[in-house]
Amino acid sequence: MSDISFVRTEMLPPKEPPASEVGVLGWMRANLFSNWFNSVLTLVSLYFVIQILIGLITWAWVPTWSAGSLPSVVSSLKSWAARATMPGPAGA
């Protein structure tokens, strides 16, 4: 029997890590989806954030009053500001 052994004389070049382990995908997998509980918590939180954003966008873009001119809008805002800054009832 002959003893044939192999010894590498040069090193192999390093390979790039898999895409699922680095970058945004790797971070999300490691931190947000590392187990079933974190996955459910992430999805529930994402649902609530989307609902809040939809409400804010609707509030910002849909007018809540029908005013015919700019002075009527200003008077509406002044009366709203006056009510908002009034002190509440005693003992409140």
Side-chain angles (χ1 to χ4, degrees):
M1 249 170 58
S2 68
D3 185 22
I4 300 175
S5 60
F6 176 77
V7 177
R8 187 179 306 269
T9 57
E10 69 272 345
M11 295 295 292
L12 292 175
K15 292 184 177 182
E16 294 292 324
S20 63
E21 298 293 325
V22 295
V24 175
L25 268 176
W27 180 87
M28 287 174 62
R29 180 173 280 177
N31 294 303
L32 301 178
F33 300 102
S34 59
N35 58 32
W36 70 268
F37 182 73
N38 284 348
S39 298
V40 169
L41 195 59
T42 298
L43 294 175
V44 168
S45 299
L46 186 63
Y47 171 78
F48 283 116
V49 167
I50 288 172
Q51 293 299 315
I52 289 171
L53 286 176
I54 288 171
L56 284 174
I57 291 170
T58 303
W59 173 81
W61 289 105
V62 176
T64 55
W65 61 77
S66 58
S69 64
L70 185 59
S72 62
V73 171
V74 172
S75 67
S76 295
L77 288 175
K78 282 182 182 178
S79 64
W80 176 82
R83 281 181 288 172
T85 57
M86 292 175 76

